[in-house]
């Protein structure tokens, strides 16, 4: 009698519970994907794909078809469904793919890759991205079905599903999704127990068999889930760092105002170069955000027209002076579908590819092409009202409904109170905004990339703004979003702009124009307010960065190029104070680099926390194996010969020793003694025990045995571990193969490691 016949369960037909459990666990692992791809019809297609593949596998196994046939049937279902959803126009009868159908796949995949590379999460899934997602989930469903239902290795499937669920969290860092984690953990525990029951089916258990093993295992799993949920919030969050990893990563623009991690990046690089015929280098905008939900500011979308159709002329009052400037931009390292341009653009020349303009905000976007390595010219017609004109204009947009003035419910009192307190005594909308700008830049607030993170308000929601106003420390996102909300509290239309600061001079000159270099750390956000007859006017509330907004009175002379001779301080605003204390000293200004962005000190805590988490994850297999070993030793001490023999087999597997189904207990025992250092007496006791119990009535593993079987199993393990080299001992402890490979299975036939053939 072989070892497999002695201890392995009887193979049964397809299991409904295991099939449904595998499908639902896969779907639980896919829930975090909604963080990356916005919900849409693609999710319904994904549900249909998973259901059909697992149903096809179940039906095929009902007819006792071999594993290869099951996989081929599932692949056929996968192909037909993809053809039905995405290739009907080129398929026979709408479901049978033709050569034209297959030729359409590479363009779809290329377009999907562009959507991923250029988009910002959550991505709006078009046809290409939907195709890629549904196809990939279908392949994953076939793999999980084979591993769980054919190979009966649910733990291996669990490792894959956990990895899949972690990918969205790595791609888009954020709060832990507790619901999806609990559902996935429950699904994995169910798969492990359901598969175990299929092995136990058909085996008559003795009344003396140890009870409560399932309850103990379930309890351990439940405790692990609870501990993970409770402990995760206590760990410091390691922010994703652009440019970090195994290879340098290009710069990009995230229009969702999640700029904190971009500004804290350890590697600064040049993003673009700019030169202009204006007297001052302009800010370069990429995206505008007008809708505020109370939690996030949303980028403006829709309303685009092809760029080649031209941009409309700026609409201002006839008496407002408008000056034309030309700005040349060279993208050095920036991959984005949002193009950095000066404002307000009326013409953009020199771009490669198809680009479109959003007329409401004069931003330029592309669905198919990226900004990297582009060189282009932007012509702007900049309104330059006098101080009297801007003071006489009302902050209104003049459209209905006006979402740029909407204020979420339950705005914190500190936002409302301070907005009214700071602007008390002002008589015009412009003066109120200048008072806000002066207050933010006047010395009470400090620029910091760390304080927001330390105080847990690294965001743009209402609570983040309230905490920012409490501690009076933050970075551009906090200044810009809070200023914009305060303007809305005062019933003025406002929005937030994401783009780049003007940069620093390189000392080079082209056609008489100075070339400025813009670095990745100069990614910036600022607010704008709309004035009737003038347009959107930018403000700069971020202390220590940029130039505060000012307008000159009509009495100030104008140069031939249309610029003011002495525009600074014309509105009576005082400049940001300059401290005489050296930077970095107590009470002095923050340490800044050449880009004007604060240099954050190195914080080893996130790295140590990540190392601790990795160490804990690496220890999980060893802990699970130790729990299983103790459970089997306890069963063996109660007289269960099957448990003692399984412990010997699994010890051999852990050390890379083959345990084939064709080998009898005596042959395996002889090989372990002769080639792998197992003590002869201990192995003889285990062989005798499994043989006697195998021939006992009803397979009674407790037949005629005592606690000596447990001692024999322990002695055999000690002897084999002592005889093995250090590498195999370490692998047996840290990466036990028996958690994934069952004794007697096709994966334990002797081809695992060199140790198996010794």
């Amino acid at each position: 009698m072989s070892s497999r016949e002695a201890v392995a369960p009887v193979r049964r037909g397809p299991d409904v519970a295991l099939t449904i459990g595998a499908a639902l666990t896969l779907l639980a692992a896919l829930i975090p994907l909604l963080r990356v791809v916005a919900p849409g019809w693609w999710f319904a297609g994904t549900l249909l794909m998973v259901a059909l593949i697992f149903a096809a596998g179940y039906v095929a196994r009902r007819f006792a078809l071999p594993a290869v046939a099951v996989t081929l049937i599932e692949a056929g279902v996968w192909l037909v469904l993809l053809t039905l959803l995405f290739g009907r126009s080129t398929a026979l009868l709408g479901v049978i793919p033709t050569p034209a159908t297959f030729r359409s796949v590479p363009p779809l995949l290329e377009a999907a890759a562009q959507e991923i590379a250029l988009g910002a999460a959550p991505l709006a899934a078009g046809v290409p991205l939907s195709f890629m997602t549904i196809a990939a989930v279908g392949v994953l469903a076939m793999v999980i079905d084979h591993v769980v239902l054919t190979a009966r290795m649910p733990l291996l499937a669990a490792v894959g599903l956990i990895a899949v669920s972690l990918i969205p969290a790595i791609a888009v860092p954020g709060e832990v999704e507790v619901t999806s984690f609990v559902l996935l953990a429950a699904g994995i525990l169910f798969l492990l127990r359901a598969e175990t029951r299929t092995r136990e089916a058909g085996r008559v258990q003795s009344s003396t068999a140890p009870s409560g093993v399932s309850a103990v295992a379930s309890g351990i799993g439940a405790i692990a889930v609870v501990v993970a949920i409770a402990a995760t919030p206590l760990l410091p969050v390691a922010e994703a760092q652009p440019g970090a990893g195994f290879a340098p990563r290009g710069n990009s623009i995230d229009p969702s105002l999640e700029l904190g991690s971009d500004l804290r990046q350890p590697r600064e690089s040049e993003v673009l170069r700019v030169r202009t015929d204006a007297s001052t280098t302009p800010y370069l905008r990429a995206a505008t955000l007008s809708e505020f939900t109370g939690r996030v500011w949303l980028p403006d979308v829709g309303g685009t027209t092809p760029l080649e159709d031209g941009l409309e002329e700026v609409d201002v009052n006839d008496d407002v002076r408008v000056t034309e400037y030309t700005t040349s931009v060279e993208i050095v390292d920036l991959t984005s579908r949002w193009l950095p341009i000066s404002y307000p653009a009326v013409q953009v020349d020199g771009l490669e590819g198809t680009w479109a303009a959003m007329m409401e905000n004069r931003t330029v976007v592309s669905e198919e092409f990226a900004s990297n390595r582009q060189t282009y010219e932007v012509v702007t017609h900049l309104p330059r009202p006098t101080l009297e004109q801007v003071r006489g204009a009302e902050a209104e947009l003049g459209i209905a409904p006006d979402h740029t003035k909407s204020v979420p419910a339950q705005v914190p009192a500190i936002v409302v109170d301070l907005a009214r307190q700071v602007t008390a005594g002002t008589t015009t909308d412009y003066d109120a905004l200048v008072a806000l700008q002066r207050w933010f830049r006047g010395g009470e607030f400090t620029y910091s990339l760390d304080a927001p993170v330390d105080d847990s308000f690294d965001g743009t929601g209402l609570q983040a703004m309230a905490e920012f106003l409490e501690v009076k420390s933050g970075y551009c996102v906090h200044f810009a979003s809070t200023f914009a909300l305060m303007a809305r509290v005062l019933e003025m239309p406002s929005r937030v702009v994401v783009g780049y600061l003007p940069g620093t001079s390189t000392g080079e000159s082209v056609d008489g124009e100075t070339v400025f270099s813009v670095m990745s750390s100069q990614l910036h956000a600022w607010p704008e307010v709309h004035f009737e007859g003038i347009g959107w006017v930018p403000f700069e509330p971020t202390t220590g960065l940029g130039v505060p907004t000012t307008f000159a009175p009509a009495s100030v002379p104008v140069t031939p190029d249309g610029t003011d001779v002495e525009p600074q301080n014309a509105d009576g605003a005082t400049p940001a104070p300059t401290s005489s204390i050296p930077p970095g000293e107590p009470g002095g200004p923050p340490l800044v680099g050449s880009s004007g962005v604060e240099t954050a000190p190195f914080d080893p805590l996130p790295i140590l926390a990540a190392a601790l988490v990795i160490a804990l994850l690496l220890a999980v297999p060893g802990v699970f194996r130790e729990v299983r070993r103790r459970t089997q030793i306890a069963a063996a001490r109660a007289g269960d010969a099957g448990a003692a023999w399984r412990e010997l087999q699994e010890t051999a597997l852990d050390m890379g020793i083959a345990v084939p189904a064709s080998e009898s207990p005596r042959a395996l025992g002889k090989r372990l003694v002769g080639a792998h250092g197992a003590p002869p007496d201990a192995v003889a006791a285990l062989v005798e025990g499994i043989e006697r119990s195998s021939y006992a009535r009803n397979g009674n593993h407790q037949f005629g045995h005592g606690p000596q079987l447990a001692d024999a199993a322990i002695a055999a393990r000690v002897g084999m571990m002592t005889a093995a080299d250090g590498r195999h001992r370490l692998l047996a402890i840290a990466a036990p193969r028996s958690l994934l490979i069952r004794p007697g299975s096709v994966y334990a036939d002797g081809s695992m490691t060199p140790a198996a053939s010794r």
Side-chain angles (χ1 to χ4, degrees):
M1 176 175 290
S2 71
S3 61
R4 185 176 184 180
E5 295 170 334
V7 299
V10 178
R11 175 72 66 180
R12 304 185 72 196
D15 187 277
V16 177
L18 199 57
T19 302
I20 296 176
L24 294 179
T25 305
L26 172 58
L27 293 177
L30 295 175
I31 291 177
L33 186 62
L34 296 174
R35 176 186 294 183
V36 179
V37 184
W41 70 269
W42 67 269
F43 195 69
T46 299
L47 296 178
L48 181 62
M49 176 68 79
V50 171
L52 290 180
I53 285 180
F54 278 94
Y58 176 80
V59 172
R61 292 185 183 90
R62 289 279 295 178
F63 289 93
L65 297 179
V68 174
V70 173
T71 302
L72 290 176
I73 291 173
E74 292 175 341
V77 170
W78 175 81
L79 183 61
V80 168
L81 182 57
L82 286 177
T83 304
L84 179 64
L85 294 177
F86 300 98
R88 290 192 303 273
S89 61
T90 59
L92 295 176
L93 303 178
V95 294
I96 302 175
T98 64
T101 307
F102 290 108
R103 285 195 297 270
S104 67
V105 173
L108 280 175
L109 295 178
E110 183 178 355
Q114 285 283 348
E115 287 187 42
I116 295 171
L118 303 180
L123 298 168
V127 172
L129 185 57
S130 298
F131 170 79
M132 175 182 284
T133 303
I134 296 175
V137 170
V139 173
L140 180 62
M142 287 187 281
V143 172
I144 296 300
D145 176 85
H146 173 77
V147 172
V148 175
L149 278 303
T150 301
R152 298 296 173 118
M153 294 191 296
L155 191 58
L156 179 60
V159 173
L161 291 174
I162 291 172
V164 169
S165 69
L166 288 177
I167 292 174
I170 296 172
V172 185
E175 295 181 357
V176 177
E177 297 179 354
V178 177
T179 302
S180 62
F181 172 76
V182 171
L183 291 176
L184 178 59
I188 291 174
L189 291 175
F190 173 80
L191 289 183
L192 294 175
R193 183 54 189 147
E195 199 280 332
T196 302
R197 286 184 181 277
T198 63
R199 283 190 272 171
E200 295 173 349
R203 179 184 295 168
V204 179
Q205 299 295 333
S206 168
S207 60
T208 61
S211 60
V213 174
S214 298
V216 171
S218 301
I220 292 173
I223 291 172
V225 172
V226 172
V227 169
I229 294 174
T232 299
L234 302 178
L235 295 174
V237 178
E239 296 285 351
Q241 302 291 350
F246 296 102
R249 193 182 76 180
N251 299 293
S252 62
I253 296 176
D254 184 351
S256 64
L257 286 189
E258 295 291 338
L259 307 183
S261 58
D262 295 322
L263 294 173
R264 297 185 198 98
Q265 59 184 331
R267 181 185 63 88
E268 187 176 38
S269 61
E270 187 178 39
V271 175
L272 53 90
R273 291 195 166 200
V274 58
R275 56 187 176 87
T276 182
D277 59 7
S279 58
T280 58
T281 307
Y283 284 44
L284 297 179
R285 72 180 52 223
T288 59
L289 302 89
S290 301
E291 183 179 350
F292 182 48
T293 66
R295 188 177 63 86
V296 293
W297 291 82
L298 299 177
D300 297 337
V301 295
T304 60
T305 59
L307 189 59
E308 57 265 24
D309 292 349
L311 294 167
E312 298 176 354
E313 185 56 70
V314 295
D315 184 16
V316 298
N317 291 339
D318 294 338
D319 60 343
V320 173
R321 175 165 41 100
V322 176
T323 307
E324 179 176 296
Y325 298 114
T326 300
T327 302
S328 300
V329 182
E330 177 191 354
I331 305 295
V332 178
D333 181 15
L334 175 65
T335 302
S336 170
R337 58 182 290 257
W338 288 273
L339 192 72
I341 61 173
S342 48
Y343 182 83
V346 295
Q347 183 178 335
V348 182
D349 297 319
L351 287 172
E352 296 181 1
T354 303
W355 294 80
M358 293 185 185
M359 298 309 299
E360 281 191 21
N361 51 37
R362 296 181 184 271
T363 56
V364 178
V365 298
S366 176
E367 296 294 340
E368 301 176 0
F369 295 88
S371 60
N372 207 24
R373 303 300 178 184
Q374 297 270 8
T375 300
Y376 50 95
E377 279 192 352
V378 184
V379 177
T380 58
H381 287 178
L382 180 65
R384 298 189 61 82
T386 64
L387 178 59
E388 293 82 2
Q389 288 173 330
V390 73
R391 275 179 171 163
E394 291 187 357
E396 290 290 344
L397 188 56
I399 62 172
D402 185 3
H403 62 281
T404 63
K405 292 177 69 174
S406 62
V407 177
Q410 299 178 338
V411 174
I414 188 174
V415 178
V416 178
D417 294 343
L418 285 175
R420 294 172 178 169
Q421 176 184 330
V422 172
T423 60
T426 58
T427 57
T428 69
D429 290 341
Y430 175 73
D431 288 338
L433 295 169
V434 168
L436 280 176
Q437 178 179 257
R438 184 187 303 120
W439 177 63
F440 278 116
R441 299 179 65 92
E444 291 188 48
F445 288 80
T446 59
Y447 183 94
S448 173
L449 290 173
D450 292 325
V453 180
D454 294 341
D455 289 297
S456 303
F457 63 96
D458 194 17
T460 59
L462 292 173
Q463 187 59 38
M465 296 182 193
E467 294 189 40
F468 164 65
L469 292 174
E470 288 282 354
V471 302
K472 291 184 170 57
S473 182
Y475 55 95
C476 61
V477 165
H478 300 98
F479 286 93
S481 58
T482 305
F483 184 102
L485 180 61
M486 284 180 159
R488 293 190 180 189
V489 168
L490 299 173
E491 300 183 350
M492 303 182 198
S494 65
R495 65 188 184 189
V496 177
V497 183
V498 174
Y500 285 96
L501 290 166
T504 55
S505 173
T506 63
E508 303 175 16
S509 179
V510 177
D511 295 333
E513 298 171 354
T514 301
V515 177
F516 287 78
S517 175
V518 179
M519 307 300 289
S520 56
S521 61
Q522 291 176 304
L523 186 63
H524 191 48
W526 64 92
E528 289 183 335
V529 177
H530 191 275
F531 286 82
E532 282 188 335
I534 296 174
W536 289 98
V537 175
F539 288 85
E540 184 52 277
T542 304
T543 182
L545 292 183
V547 179
T549 296
T550 59
F551 291 96
S555 59
V556 173
V558 179
T559 61
D561 70 349
T563 60
D564 303 315
V565 175
E566 296 178 356
Q568 299 301 324
N569 269 2
D571 62 353
T574 57
T578 302
S579 173
S580 60
I581 304 175
E585 294 295 326
L591 287 170
V592 296
S594 60
S595 63
V597 175
E598 180 183 352
T599 303
F602 174 72
D603 183 7
L605 190 58
I607 297 177
L608 294 177
L612 177 61
V613 171
I614 293 173
L616 292 175
L617 290 176
L618 292 176
V620 167
V623 172
F624 269 98
R625 177 64 180 98
E626 182 62 19
V627 171
R628 179 173 175 81
R629 187 181 73 82
R630 290 176 180 272
T631 302
Q632 293 190 144
I633 291 298
R637 200 170 296 283
D640 188 345
W645 183 252
R646 281 194 298 273
E647 177 57 30
L648 178 66
Q649 289 179 307
E650 292 177 2
T651 297
L653 284 175
D654 292 342
M655 302 178 66
I657 301 169
V659 185
S662 60
E663 196 170 32
S664 68
R666 285 182 178 268
L668 176 61
K670 182 178 180 180
R671 182 160 58 87
L672 295 179
V673 171
H676 300 286
D681 294 341
V683 172
L686 294 171
V687 170
E688 179 185 3
I690 191 61
E691 288 182 341
R692 292 183 64 186
S693 63
S694 297
Y695 288 103
R697 180 174 298 178
N698 296 327
N700 186 354
H701 289 172
Q702 284 75 34
F703 177 78
H705 300 294
Q708 69 274 13
L709 287 176
D711 297 334
I714 294 173
R717 182 176 187 275
V718 171
M720 294 167 64
M721 292 286 283
T722 303
D725 57 38
R727 184 173 70 89
H728 285 92
R729 281 198 300 271
L730 178 62
L731 290 175
I733 296 172
R737 297 172 175 84
S738 61
L739 292 178
L740 304 177
I741 302 173
R742 293 169 52 198
S745 69
V746 66
Y747 302 100
D749 62 358
S751 59
M752 297 178 340
T753 67
S757 60
R758 289 204 327 244

